[in-house]
Amino acid sequence: MCGIVGHLGNQNAAGILLEGLKRLEYRGYDSSGLAVLQDGSLAVTKRVGRVKELIGAIKQAPVESTIGICHTRWATHGEVTEENAHPHLSSDGKITLVHNGVIENYNTLRSFLTSKGFSFSSETDTEVLCNLIAYHYAKEAETAEGSRFATSVRKALLHVEGTYGLAALCANCPDEMVGARHGSPLIQGVGREEILLASDVAALVSRTPDVVYMNDGELVHIVGNQFSLTTLDSEDIKPVINTVDWDVSEGELGDFEHYMLKEIFEQPTALENAMRGRFSQDGSTAKFGGLNITPQDLRQIDRILLCACGTAWHACLTMEFLIEKYARIPVEVEYASEFRYRNAPLDKNTLVMVVSQSGETIDTLAALRESKRKGYTTLAITNGVGSTIARESDGGIYQHAGPEVGVASTKAFTSQLMIGSILALYLGRLRDMSFNDGVEMVEGLKQIPSLVEKIVQLSEDIHRIAKKYVHKQDFLFLGRQSMFPIALEGALKLKEISYIHAEGYPAAEMKHGPIALISEDCPSLFIATEPDTLSKVVSNMQEVKARKGQLIVVRSESCTMPEGLADDEMVIPDCHPVAAPILASIPVQLLSYHIAVERGCDVDKPRNLAKSETVE
Ligand code: M6R
């Protein structure tokens, strides 16, 4: 949700900034802009649309400077227009600012600044903050030039309510950049002859592996290739430089048409990576390096609360099923956005776990913080190495799925399911699960990557099926037990990338309402992989057929259908029950992908969405 890059070094900034911005486009893509300090004044270029529009504009009218900031926007305040795009420029032309977050008291500040003679050309909260910095800069005329700019940013932020990750430049300070963070991510890249700021390491790794993850309430003042990190109250902070291990080529598209397809095909590797080194030597249980909680303490846990948003919330629903089944620990799943405002009764033996691909989702972070504030032990499952959620939880498990660029989550989802399965095994073996059941489960898990490899090869068959359903406007996704969350995820995938209305339900719930939707125009996708409930699911399918509904079935090899019942089938291999949710997810992802592409949708950057929701 908005991406920021800043650069101060000795090379031309524009190319470096735009390369970084391209890598952050998944965070927002309705408009973008770039500002550099050129010949003593701030030159701002903005364009509506994708970053490529901005790149085109800079090609036509190149800028020359070694210092600059840029931004790709996901609109919060004000429509998608050039005026509302960042960077904003203060009305006195002194300050330019890029910002991710929401300034909640911007109306009050705007009235105050108007009374002081500042004017506004956009509807945004960011322009208000930009003018507020300029106001303080003017007031700080007595302060020595070396610290005047940073002091004015600091003073402005003390009057701000809301969230920000920001980078600012001042027309009078050709060698200075200021960044600050509260609630929205900001990371510094520390190169040999350059310092960068960005919302995500993805924008930095092609320049430097050395990064400083800023924490809330911190401000960085960069002067030349030196920087100082302080609190807003000017207390010095010793920066911790982390070296990130990130293969830049992992984030490239390669031969694939879309990141989403690439990431679907990367699932065998991502799942292998999620398992690597996590099984015990005797092959009956699991081990995790970073839980920071002893087996003894884990045995005392009598309840687990799982919190997440979107696709990660669906992963939690599957984890609930797995942990209750294999470890016999009661689990509850909450939307993080609801949990944070609810005073849910928890007891001291409750373990709170948050799940987030990015590790930066603001609602999930807030749920984590609220749980910590109340004294609960917290764990995080995240793909975001060094992310805020990873840093703030008591312990956690990294997914190691590699960068996920497509806005629609695919490999991160199945790798969360893999981590959840391994965790269920571990917790189960700490309690009642037998050695033999443990060994059988480990064997079942180890087979997953090769089985997924076979399923992705069905892509072209699924493409042919997809073509038949391209013009539908409604879809139902139905599954029972551990397939219910997969049905929910299937419906989310289809709606977010193809804009087809889709709903997920437990198959047996259909008759309590959704059956009213069934018609020739509303196909139903059933997931039938469990022999125990097969006859019931087949009855539900027959109810659909009796109402002229088309039936697409994802089934396992041994879950055979009555002749002629399904209009289309996608068959996955038989497997250990723990593997079924992962395996069943793949055809559902591929079907959504091919339908969306056939409809001409931009699957990697669906309308109105952003990959990482860092504002509430
Ligand atoms: O990074 P997170 O896992 O915390 O993100 C949570 C959701 O915003 C995310 O899963 C969203 O629902 C995706 N667009 C799903 O494809």
Side-chain angles (χ1 to χ4, degrees):
M1 178 159 297
C2 297
I4 289 173
V5 193
H7 171 266
L8 203 173
N10 57 13
Q11 295 176 36
N12 190 22
I16 296 168
L17 291 170
L18 291 171
E19 191 203 325
L21 204 60
K22 277 295 296 169
R23 291 181 196 276
L24 293 192
E25 207 175 1
Y26 69 87
R27 297 180 66 87
Y29 33 82
D30 54 41
S31 53
S32 58
L34 177 141
V36 295
L37 190 46
Q38 191 173 246
D39 305 327
S41 64
L42 294 164
V44 180
T45 312
K46 306 191 212 183
R47 285 295 179 271
V48 165
R50 302 287 158 90
V51 171
K52 66 174 194 281
E53 306 299 332
L54 180 66
I55 294 175
I58 298 286
K59 260 195 197 134
Q60 281 200 334
V63 287
E64 275 291 330
S65 176
T66 54
I67 178 169
I69 53 176
C70 64
H71 185 271
T72 179
R73 180 170 185 246
W74 186 92
T76 55
H77 288 72
E79 282 176 38
V80 179
T81 60
E82 248 171 50
E83 290 72 33
N84 289 338
H86 302 208
H88 287 282
L89 192 59
S90 58
S91 61
D92 63 4
K94 287 275 187 274
I95 304 291
T96 185
L97 177 72
V98 288
H99 165 227
N100 175 21
V102 175
I103 306 301
E104 285 163 8
N105 58 337
Y106 81 107
N107 265 328
T108 319
L109 295 171
R110 189 175 167 129
S111 308
F112 167 77
L113 290 163
T114 307
S115 74
K116 297 289 175 196
F118 285 87
S119 61
F120 297 86
S121 55
S122 80
E123 305 150 78
T124 65
D125 53 342
T126 304
E127 192 185 14
V128 173
L129 178 55
C130 186
N131 274 328
L132 188 63
I133 298 171
Y135 165 76
H136 283 284
Y137 187 74
K139 264 185 75 179
E140 292 295 314
E142 302 299 306
T143 308
E145 207 44 66
S147 57
R148 181 178 167 193
F149 174 33
T151 303
S152 54
V153 177
R154 199 184 299 282
K155 292 209 165 160
L157 292 178
L158 290 172
H159 292 93
V160 155
E161 287 162 23
T163 54
Y164 49 82
L166 61 84
L169 301 181
C170 172
N172 294 355
C173 311
D175 213 16
E176 292 180 52
M177 179 162 66
V178 176
R181 162 186 173 145
H182 183 73
S184 299
L186 194 66
I187 300 157
Q188 244 176 283
V190 186
R192 258 208 263 153
E193 290 175 330
E194 63 185 352
I195 308 264
L196 299 109
L197 290 174
S199 318
D200 188 325
V201 284
L204 304 174
V205 285
S206 67
R207 305 295 307 173
T208 175
D210 296 329
V211 303
V212 177
Y213 295 105
M214 288 177 65
N215 293 309
D216 279 355
E218 292 182 356
L219 179 142
V220 62
H221 183 201
I222 303 161
V223 183
N225 63 358
Q226 304 294 316
F227 67 91
S228 57
L229 197 62
T230 55
T231 63
L232 283 192
D233 298 327
S234 304
E235 279 171 35
D236 288 338
I237 296 169
K238 194 171 175 336
V240 179
I241 299 188
N242 296 269
T243 301
V244 290
D245 174 19
W246 182 306
D247 176 359
V248 181
S249 66
E250 273 190 276
E252 309 288 344
L253 197 49
D255 293 336
F256 286 91
E257 204 182 330
H258 298 103
Y259 280 105
M260 183 177 173
L261 189 64
K262 174 180 183 250
E263 287 156 7
I264 290 174
F265 273 78
E266 279 173 351
Q267 287 176 108
T269 311
L271 291 161
E272 197 75 67
N273 290 342
M275 287 194 293
R276 182 159 296 118
R278 286 184 167 151
F279 294 124
S280 64
Q281 226 169 3
D282 70 358
S284 79
T285 185
K287 54 187 175 147
F288 293 104
L291 289 184
N292 301 335
I293 172 167
T294 63
Q296 290 74 9
D297 286 343
L298 276 175
R299 280 194 198 96
Q300 302 307 313
I301 296 297
D302 54 26
R303 186 167 164 234
I304 295 178
L305 178 78
L306 295 171
C307 277
C309 301
T311 287
W313 185 79
H314 297 151
C316 290
L317 291 178
T318 311
M319 289 179 201
E320 174 186 23
F321 181 89
L322 296 169
I323 294 171
E324 290 192 343
K325 176 172 174 175
Y326 294 109
R328 314 292 306 152
I329 303 173
V331 178
E332 267 175 72
V333 180
E334 285 248 20
Y335 281 115
S337 51
E338 290 297 304
F339 173 78
R340 62 181 297 193
Y341 290 117
R342 208 164 77 75
N343 197 8
L346 304 175
D347 68 51
K348 67 177 172 32
N349 290 333
T350 300
L351 172 69
V352 177
M353 288 182 54
V354 296
V355 181
S356 170
Q357 187 285 129
S358 59
E360 299 293 350
T361 298
I362 193 81
D363 289 321
T364 311
L365 178 59
L368 171 71
R369 287 177 176 165
E370 178 64 8
S371 309
K372 284 185 72 175
R373 202 184 58 75
K374 289 182 170 155
Y376 299 104
T377 304
T378 58
L379 293 181
I381 296 176
T382 180
N383 197 32
V385 176
S387 60
T388 312
I389 286 177
R391 287 179 290 125
E392 293 196 13
S393 52
D394 296 317
I397 308 172
Y398 278 129
Q399 297 177 224
H400 298 309
E404 190 180 67
V405 178
V407 166
S409 186
T410 52
K411 65 174 180 174
F413 174 64
T414 51
S415 94
Q416 284 161 356
L417 300 188
M418 175 60 91
I419 301 290
S421 308
I422 303 175
L423 187 64
L425 164 74
Y426 179 61
L427 296 173
R429 289 285 290 130
L430 286 180
R431 293 169 182 238
D432 296 334
M433 188 190 284
S434 72
F435 177 86
N436 286 346
D437 287 348
V439 169
E440 214 178 280
M441 195 161 158
V442 169
E443 287 312 312
L445 290 167
K446 283 184 174 168
Q447 283 176 2
I448 292 176
S450 61
L451 298 178
V452 169
E453 185 65 61
K454 284 189 187 149
I455 303 172
V456 294
Q457 300 311 323
L458 300 176
S459 181
E460 268 320 299
D461 297 340
I462 295 175
H463 189 178
R464 277 188 285 280
I465 296 174
K467 284 182 181 165
K468 292 169 60 179
Y469 299 93
V470 166
H471 300 297
K472 301 294 176 192
Q473 281 312 317
D474 300 282
F475 248 90
L476 283 181
F477 285 74
L478 302 145
R480 294 190 78 139
Q481 305 283 305
S482 64
M483 292 304 144
F484 165 51
I486 308 307
L488 286 176
E489 173 60 7
L492 176 66
K493 243 16 10 136
L494 186 67
K495 69 187 140 197
E496 71 180 336
I497 60 171
S498 72
Y499 320 136
I500 295 174
H501 164 243
E503 292 189 38
Y505 273 95
E509 272 296 301
M510 193 184 66
K511 56 185 172 295
H512 299 290
I515 198 163
L517 293 173
I518 304 289
S519 74
E520 285 164 343
D521 294 325
C522 176
S524 300
L525 184 144
F526 277 84
I527 310 173
T529 59
E530 283 161 351
D532 294 359
T533 49
L534 182 65
S535 60
K536 309 276 181 229
V537 174
V538 167
S539 298
N540 298 143
M541 292 178 192
Q542 267 148 348
E543 288 157 12
V544 169
K545 215 52 197 179
R547 287 159 183 84
K548 297 195 176 0
Q550 283 166 292
L551 273 180
I552 309 166
V553 178
V554 176
R555 67 168 180 88
S556 54
E557 273 161 5
S558 57
C559 285
T560 51
M561 296 287 118
E563 185 75 28
L565 180 61
D567 292 287
D568 289 290
E569 287 189 343
M570 298 182 265
V571 182
I572 60 172
D574 286 334
C575 58
H576 187 288
V578 75
I582 296 178
L583 266 49
S585 301
I586 317 296
V588 178
Q589 294 169 348
L590 283 166
L591 186 72
S592 301
Y593 169 79
H594 287 300
I595 290 178
V597 172
E598 285 294 326
R599 284 166 73 95
C601 299
D602 186 344
V603 293
D604 284 338
K605 297 188 184 72
R607 73 181 178 208
N608 306 337
L609 289 173
K611 179 117 189 106
S612 187
E613 301 293 346
T614 54
V615 298
E616 233 190 295

